[in-house]
């Protein structure tokens, strides 16, 4: 019994139970709709793991979600709800598109310039939310949502600029190839590379390199997760920001500058979301921004990823891969069985719902402990 109580108090237990419950609820909905849950989940798994290129596509989809998930998680750890990650990612995309197209630099250096520019602009976009909260008491959710829409319309405004808009297209020019983050891009587009890839002796590599936008972004995302973990757990500044998140009044009494740390935490969160936008533009086709009629969703999906990871920096990597796998594999359910792909959204929503109720698992552990205590007393 003690082992059960101890397990229920662990965050990972709540997450695993939530994932199982999500699939159970999804199975019930599929059954009611007249589809076989086993067949549907089988197609979903095959849609992710049956070919290497499918797994690579999941990694590509997960990469920007890792950055936005880290952005949300970092803000949560410091007591902020960075719902503005969506707008910060858009600002990162716009900045990457402008710097990637307008400035000519050597490969690698060009991407570094694009990434740094996106970090600065999106970081300032996030810091603005912090300033509005620190100086004027405006809640970060309200200002974050408003800035999301401002970022969207700013994206559309920039595309209307003659020097950036591609003729006969509702999009910008593609960024220069020197800024691309695509794996072996120069080699695989060369004569020698095409000959090697198309000679039929390396079908797996050919499939992955030719048919996907495999890029180095996943390594940057993992490095960002490690950096966030180190900052929060191994530095004085990270301790200060977490102290502000735990209780602003107590932190202020301890001599910590609450407003400064609040603004800094949202600036760092914005920078992380901006990196997501930079990786999207430089790492995947079509390497440009286009007119937006709705939010692209990177920041909002990042909220789900952060919650599924219980705001753990390294957990964000796993939850982003799970999230992307569910979305990518879920499309196979509709393609192969005709079942609505929206069932995946139900699964994801259920997982998040039960994670939000993770306190109930600890309450159950407390109840079992009290019950055991009464039994031992007898």
């Amino acid at each position: 019994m003690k082992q059960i109580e101890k397990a229920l108090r662990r965050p990972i237990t709540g997450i695993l139970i939530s994932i199982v419950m999500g699939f159970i609820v999804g199975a019930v909905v599929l059954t009611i709709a007249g589809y076989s849950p086993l067949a549907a989940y089988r197609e979903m798994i095959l849609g992710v793991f049956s070919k290497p290129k499918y797994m690579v596509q999941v990694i590509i989809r997960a990469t920007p979600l890792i950055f936005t998930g880290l952005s949300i998680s970092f803000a949560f750890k410091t007591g902020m709800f960075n719902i503005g990650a969506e707008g910060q990612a858009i600002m990162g995309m716009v900045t990457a598109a402008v710097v990637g197209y307008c400035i000519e630099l050597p490969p690698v250096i060009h991407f570094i310039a694009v990434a740094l520019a996106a970090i600065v602009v999106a970081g300032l976009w996030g810091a603005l939310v912090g300033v509005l909260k620190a100086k004027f008491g405006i809640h970060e959710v309200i200002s974050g949502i408003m800035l999301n829409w401002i970022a969207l319309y700013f994206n559309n405004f920039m595309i209307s600029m003659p020097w950036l808009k591609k003729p006969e297209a509702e999009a910008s020019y593609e960024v220069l190839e020197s800024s691309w983050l695509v794996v072996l891009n120069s080699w695989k587009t060369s004569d020698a590379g095409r000959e090697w890839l198309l000679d039929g002796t390396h079908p797996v590599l050919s499939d992955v390199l030719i048919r996907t936008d495999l890029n180095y972004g996943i390594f940057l995302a993992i490095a960002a997760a490690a950096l966030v973990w180190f900052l929060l757990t191994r530095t004085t500044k990270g301790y200060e920001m977490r102290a502000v998140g735990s209780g602003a009044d107590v932190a202020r009494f301890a001599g910590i500058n609450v407003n400064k740390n609040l603004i800094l935490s949202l600036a760092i969160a914005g920078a992380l979301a901006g990196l997501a936008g930079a990786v999207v533009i430089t790492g995947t086709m079509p390497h440009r921004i286009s007119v937006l009629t709705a939010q692209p969703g990177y920041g909002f999906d990042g909220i789900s990823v952060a919650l599924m990871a219980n705001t753990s920096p390294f957990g964000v990597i796993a939850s982003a891969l799970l999230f992307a796998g569910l979305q990518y594999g879920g499309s196979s359910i509709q393609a192969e069985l005709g079942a609505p792909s929206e069932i995946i959204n139900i699964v994801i929503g259920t997982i998040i719902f039960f994670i939000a109720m993770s306190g109930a698992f600890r309450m159950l552990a407390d109840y079992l402990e009290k019950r055991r205590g009464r039994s031992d007393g007898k």
Side-chain angles (χ1 to χ4, degrees), residues 83-91 93 125 143-156 290-301:
I83 200 170
E86 182 74 15
Q88 294 149 18
I90 293 174
M91 293 303 293
M93 292 169 64
W125 204 252
S143 57
I145 291 174
M146 294 300 100
L147 285 171
N148 285 346
W149 287 105
I150 292 172
L152 182 146
Y153 291 117
F154 179 72
N155 172 91
N156 295 349
S290 58
V291 172
L292 297 174
T293 57
Q295 305 284 356
Y298 296 113
F300 294 129
D301 287 346

Side-chain angles (χ1 to χ4, degrees), residues 243-267:
V244 171
S246 299
D249 292 334
V250 175
R252 190 177 290 109
F253 182 77
I256 296 174
N257 189 324
V258 172
N259 288 348
K260 180 180 178 181
N261 281 282
L262 187 154
I263 295 170
L264 178 61
S265 67
L266 285 171

Side-chain angles (χ1 to χ4, degrees), residues 41-117:
Y41 289 152
R42 177 180 177 275
E43 292 299 333
M44 184 178 70
I45 292 171
L46 290 175
V48 174
F49 296 106
S50 60
K51 292 183 179 180
K53 69 176 180 180
Y54 295 161
M55 291 184 279
V56 170
Q57 292 286 17
V58 170
I59 293 173
I60 293 169
R61 283 194 176 204
T63 300
L65 299 183
I66 295 174
F67 286 112
T68 55
L70 287 171
S71 174
I72 303 295
S73 296
F74 185 87
F76 272 141
K77 293 288 188 183
T78 58
M80 298 290 108
F81 183 18
N82 186 30
I83 200 170
E86 182 74 15
Q88 294 149 18
I90 293 174
M91 293 303 293
M93 292 169 64
V94 173
T95 304
V98 172
V99 177
Y101 170 68
C102 296
I103 300 177
E104 294 186 22
L105 291 170
V108 180
I109 295 176
H110 198 176
F111 170 75
I112 293 173
V114 168
L116 289 176

Side-chain angles (χ1 to χ4, degrees), residues 19-348:
I19 292 172
V20 171
M21 291 303 300
F23 281 104
I24 290 175
V25 171
V28 171
V29 174
L30 281 167
T31 301
I32 294 173
Y35 298 97
S36 167
L38 292 177
Y41 289 152
R42 177 180 177 275
E43 292 299 333
M44 184 178 70
I45 292 171
L46 290 175
V48 174
F49 296 106
S50 60
K51 292 183 179 180
K53 69 176 180 180
Y54 295 161
M55 291 184 279
V56 170
Q57 292 286 17
V58 170
I59 293 173
I60 293 169
R61 283 194 176 204
T63 300
L65 299 183
I66 295 174
F67 286 112
T68 55
L70 287 171
S71 174
I72 303 295
S73 296
F74 185 87
F76 272 141
K77 293 288 188 183
T78 58
M80 298 290 108
F81 183 18
N82 186 30
I83 200 170
E86 182 74 15
Q88 294 149 18
I90 293 174
M91 293 303 293
M93 292 169 64
V94 173
T95 304
V98 172
V99 177
Y101 170 68
C102 296
I103 300 177
E104 294 186 22
L105 291 170
V108 180
I109 295 176
H110 198 176
F111 170 75
I112 293 173
V114 168
L116 289 176
I119 286 172
V120 171
V121 172
L124 291 173
W125 204 252
L128 178 58
V129 176
V131 171
L132 292 173
K133 183 179 179 68
K135 301 299 183 182
F136 304 103
I138 301 173
H139 199 281
E140 70 270 16
V141 171
I142 296 174
S143 57
I145 291 174
M146 294 300 100
L147 285 171
N148 285 346
W149 287 105
I150 292 172
L152 182 146
Y153 291 117
F154 179 72
N155 172 91
N156 295 349
F157 168 76
M158 289 300 293
I159 293 173
S160 69
M161 296 293 99
W163 51 270
L164 188 62
K165 184 181 187 300
K166 191 173 185 178
E168 300 181 0
E170 293 298 314
S172 68
Y173 285 101
E174 293 81 4
V175 297
L176 300 179
E177 194 171 329
S178 56
S179 69
W180 288 13
L181 198 60
V182 179
V183 171
L184 299 176
N185 182 67
S186 298
W187 174 77
K188 71 181 183 181
T189 55
S190 66
D191 292 338
R194 284 197 299 268
E195 182 180 352
W196 190 89
L197 290 170
L198 297 175
D199 66 5
T201 58
H202 309 88
V204 174
L205 280 176
S206 299
D207 213 23
V208 169
L209 291 176
I210 293 176
R211 299 181 183 276
T212 74
D213 291 323
L214 180 63
N215 59 72
Y216 298 106
I218 185 63
F219 300 109
L220 293 177
I222 294 171
L227 187 61
V228 167
W229 172 84
F230 182 82
L231 175 62
L232 286 172
T233 63
R234 295 294 185 272
T235 67
T236 302
K237 182 54 66 176
Y239 169 78
E240 289 183 1
M241 287 188 284
R242 285 190 292 114
V244 171
S246 299
D249 292 334
V250 175
R252 190 177 290 109
F253 182 77
I256 296 174
N257 189 324
V258 172
N259 288 348
K260 180 180 178 181
N261 281 282
L262 187 154
I263 295 170
L264 178 61
S265 67
L266 285 171
I268 293 173
L272 288 165
L275 265 177
V279 168
V280 168
I281 296 299
T282 60
T284 58
M285 292 292 288
H287 300 289
R288 64 186 184 184
I289 53 174
S290 58
V291 172
L292 297 174
T293 57
Q295 305 284 356
Y298 296 113
F300 294 129
D301 287 346
I303 297 174
S304 301
V305 167
L307 291 174
M308 289 169 66
N310 198 30
T311 68
S312 164
F314 290 115
V316 163
I317 299 172
S319 64
L321 289 169
L322 173 62
F323 192 95
L326 288 171
Q327 286 187 323
Y328 189 79
S331 60
S332 300
I333 296 177
Q334 187 171 28
E336 300 297 331
L337 301 179
S341 59
E342 286 77 9
I343 189 66
I344 298 304
N345 294 329
I346 295 175
V347 172
I348 293 172

